[in-house]
Amino acid sequence: MCSSDLFGADLEKAKDALILSKLLTKEMYDKYKDKTTALGVTLDKCIKGGVDRAKLGPDWNAGKVGVLFGDAESVKLFEELMHPTILERHGLTDDALPHPPPNLDGSKLLDHADIDDTFVISTRVRTGRSISGFPLPPSISADQRKELEGLVVKALGTLEGSLKGDYYPLAGSNTYEPKPNGIDKETEERLVKEHFLFQEPDEPMLLSWRMERDWPQARGIYHNEEKSALVWVNEEDHLRIISMEKGKNVRAVFDRFAGLVKAVEGACKDAGRSLEISEKYGNILSCPSNCGTGLRASMMIKIPLATKEPNFKDWCAERKLQARGSGGFASTAADDGIRDVSNVDRMGKDEVTLVNEMIQGIIDLIKWEKELEAKKNASKLQIEKEKKFDNFGNEIEDGAGGPKVYTAKDLKEMEKKMKEMKKKNASPDEMLDLELEIDEAKKQVDKAKALEKAEKEKEKAMKKAAAPAKEKKGKK
């Protein structure tokens, strides 16, 4: 076992960035450093990512907690560290415990009819589950991972009706005998691109805790024919259970999710395995942030104006929402106005409560987007009313004798200015005039290019027509 002297000073520097740095003391580390769970998990394994973050600095984004669970027993064995870590991560006190019992009653959801579906791309509800008798992904061995895959796939094979499907190991995996080489690479890449399948770990958080070990062996995806009910096997958790579909029908997605969770839990129990559920903390998964329900309900929505508002993140946080880029955790949100908006909380509330927080948040967010849209359109209309035109219908700039003409160089300069304004977090109102000017410049530049292209083609056609005449004259 190593000594806290090797990383204590680094943790001290990271106190503002890591929960681990605030809670782990030298005395606590010395108390636990030689203790091991029945499955071989040590405290060092649980805090490895946090120590890496403290040593390597903020560019090594291993999350804000600095702790992952090596197995369910590690939560109890290292309780002096794990208990306050769980509470602080979820912003709770002991009064919020125990975590409430599950609630998968879809009839208690808010009516999603109020959601304007023109803004919604897709809806998803997911959770994780851990199976007893196995270390969690940060500590599981290759043989244990293979054993878990076999047990889970056998259990999933008993699902019936709309949940009936098949298991597809990752490309290159040879641990599942019916499909010895897994799916082909092209299919795997397509499933990842379509957001059905996870990809090989490349984020600091996953690499620090060695989630990439033995990749791609014993990992895969189970899904029904419609790909609306999915189970990921041996990714960041033993199981990730997912229900998803295009559009806004969160009730259908949640009811399918509830059915899938119950079916998977029942199938595992029929196979002689219980799930790791704590009376105090709810579901025990790899990351403390997923204790409780482990549930993340989200909608992928188009909100290009709201995302540009300087208070967008604070607005979401006030409503217990999180807005991610379409790539998931730690992904950079593209400047396309598309966000995956979900509940932030996982613990201290039941599943229905968390999904309702997401539904209400989406309703409010779309309402805000519409208000911003109306404001922008009103500004455009006012600008159009104030424009002056000559007898030929051309716009006349104030103080000028004719319409303003833009060149490609003008357009480039304006786009450069727009980037600078975005970097300085200028408000949409400040950028509106420039946006309208850029739109007009693009129209003029595109029109000029089209005319130039047409002239060149006309000239080329004239030369081609003249060529036979010259040839004929030469022969005479």
Side-chain angles (χ1 to χ4, degrees):
M1 299 296 170
C2 69
S3 166
S4 62
D5 294 339
L6 297 176
F7 56 80
D10 294 309
L11 282 178
E12 183 67 27
K13 294 176 189 174
K15 267 196 171 178
D16 293 335
L18 288 172
I19 293 176
L20 174 68
S21 297
K22 299 176 187 176
L23 300 177
L24 183 65
T25 64
K26 184 180 186 303
E27 293 73 25
M28 193 187 298
Y29 181 82
D30 290 340
K31 175 182 176 179
Y32 290 132
K33 66 180 182 180
D34 296 321
K35 293 189 176 183
T36 306
T37 70
L39 292 172
V41 174
T42 63
L43 179 62
D44 286 335
K45 282 187 178 180
C46 294
I47 66 173
K48 183 182 181 302
V51 173
D52 287 350
R53 160 62 180 83
K55 283 181 168 293
L56 299 173
D59 288 342
W60 190 257
N61 180 15
K64 297 177 181 179
V65 182
V67 175
L68 288 189
F69 304 135
D71 61 10
E73 187 190 346
S74 64
V75 179
K76 294 180 180 178
L77 184 62
F78 310 127
E79 187 173 19
E80 196 175 333
L81 173 64
M82 300 309 187
H83 178 72
T85 295
I86 291 170
L87 291 182
E88 179 152 348
R89 171 59 186 82
H90 293 274
L92 301 175
T93 65
D94 283 314
D95 293 338
L97 299 178
H99 176 74
N103 181 1
L104 299 174
D105 184 357
S107 69
K108 299 294 195 298
L109 293 181
L110 295 175
D111 188 358
H112 64 272
D114 290 337
I115 298 174
D116 188 334
D117 51 10
T118 59
F119 292 82
V120 181
I121 298 172
S122 62
T123 303
R124 173 189 299 228
V125 180
R126 64 87 163 155
T127 189
R129 289 293 185 267
S130 301
I131 299 174
S132 62
F134 293 94
L136 296 173
S139 302
I140 197 168
S141 70
D143 288 341
Q144 289 168 325
R145 197 182 294 110
K146 180 180 177 181
E147 182 186 351
L148 188 145
E149 178 190 44
L151 184 153
V152 168
V153 173
K154 184 177 179 181
L156 292 172
T158 65
L159 300 186
E160 297 291 341
S162 63
L163 301 178
K164 185 176 179 61
D166 200 0
Y167 176 69
Y168 304 90
L170 297 190
S173 174
N174 53 30
T175 53
Y176 181 58
E177 193 172 331
K179 296 184 177 71
N181 296 309
I183 57 179
D184 62 86
K185 197 66 181 175
E186 185 180 344
T187 299
E188 180 178 301
E189 289 173 355
R190 189 184 73 252
L191 288 172
V192 170
K193 187 176 180 181
E194 294 172 347
H195 304 291
F196 291 116
L197 181 60
F198 54 92
Q199 60 188 18
E200 184 172 355
D202 60 0
E203 298 165 1
M205 180 175 176
L206 304 180
L207 298 176
S208 270
W209 275 285
R210 301 302 314 279
M211 301 286 200
E212 88 292 352
R213 286 172 297 122
D214 314 305
W215 197 272
Q217 305 302 328
R219 280 113 168 162
I221 179 176
Y222 171 95
H223 65 72
N224 63 354
E225 188 175 343
E226 295 80 16
K227 295 191 185 73
S228 59
L230 306 92
V231 180
W232 292 352
V233 179
N234 284 324
E235 191 230 6
E236 294 177 39
D237 289 302
H238 289 163
L239 303 177
R240 279 281 172 93
I241 301 170
I242 305 163
S243 173
M244 60 190 293
E245 65 180 58
K246 298 289 185 185
K248 69 173 185 180
N249 194 344
V250 65
R251 174 66 191 274
V253 171
F254 186 78
D255 284 345
R256 187 188 308 113
F257 167 80
L260 184 57
V261 167
K262 292 172 184 175
V264 169
E265 289 179 349
C268 287
K269 287 176 182 176
D270 290 344
R273 294 284 182 165
S274 61
L275 299 176
E276 294 292 5
I277 302 175
S278 162
E279 289 184 6
K280 184 186 291 186
Y281 304 118
N283 288 284
I284 300 298
L285 302 171
S286 295
C287 185
S289 65
N290 283 322
C291 278
T293 62
L295 181 139
R296 183 173 184 270
S298 67
M299 282 191 176
M300 192 81 74
I301 58 175
K302 297 170 283 187
I303 43 171
L305 299 179
T307 56
K308 292 177 183 175
E309 290 293 303
N311 65 329
F312 176 68
K313 283 188 178 180
D314 291 339
W315 189 97
C316 290
E318 288 169 5
R319 290 159 179 79
K320 304 291 186 182
L321 301 176
Q322 179 185 46
R324 294 178 175 179
S326 57
F329 172 78
S331 68
T332 302
D335 191 21
D336 56 7
I338 295 175
R339 295 292 184 273
D340 188 44
V341 180
S342 68
N343 57 293
V344 168
D345 295 337
R346 305 278 190 272
M347 189 176 175
K349 303 171 184 176
D350 65 31
E351 288 83 355
V352 166
T353 301
L354 294 175
V355 177
N356 279 339
E357 286 184 352
M358 185 275 291
I359 294 172
Q360 188 59 56
I362 293 291
I363 291 171
D364 293 344
L365 191 46
I366 290 175
K367 180 183 176 184
W368 187 25
E369 179 73 14
K370 286 181 174 180
E371 289 170 354
L372 294 170
E373 205 172 66
K375 188 176 178 181
K376 182 177 180 179
N377 290 337
S379 296
K380 280 185 176 180
L381 184 61
Q382 184 61 32
I383 290 169
E384 288 297 321
K385 284 181 178 178
E386 293 174 358
K387 284 182 178 180
K388 299 175 183 177
F389 299 89
D390 62 20
N391 292 333
F392 299 98
N394 296 314
E395 183 185 351
I396 302 174
E397 292 291 310
D398 286 339
K404 185 168 181 178
V405 178
Y406 296 97
T407 64
K409 184 179 178 182
D410 294 329
L411 177 60
K412 192 173 181 181
E413 287 297 320
M414 287 189 289
E415 288 175 335
K416 182 180 178 182
K417 185 178 178 182
M418 178 62 77
K419 285 182 180 179
E420 290 171 355
M421 291 180 76
K422 287 181 179 179
K423 282 182 181 178
K424 293 177 181 177
N425 291 320
S427 71
D429 284 346
E430 291 176 303
M431 294 188 286
L432 180 58
D433 288 343
L434 184 57
E435 283 181 353
L436 295 174
E437 202 171 355
I438 288 173
D439 288 343
E440 179 60 30
K442 282 181 178 177
K443 290 177 186 176
Q444 289 191 20
V445 170
D446 289 344
K447 187 175 180 180
K449 285 180 179 178
L451 288 170
E452 185 180 357
K453 184 179 178 182
E455 285 296 324
K456 285 182 178 179
E457 289 177 352
K458 183 178 178 182
E459 186 179 339
K460 187 177 178 182
M462 289 175 68
K463 286 180 179 179
K464 189 175 180 181
K470 285 184 180 179
E471 189 178 332
K472 190 174 181 181
K473 187 175 180 182
K475 286 181 180 180
K476 284 182 180 181

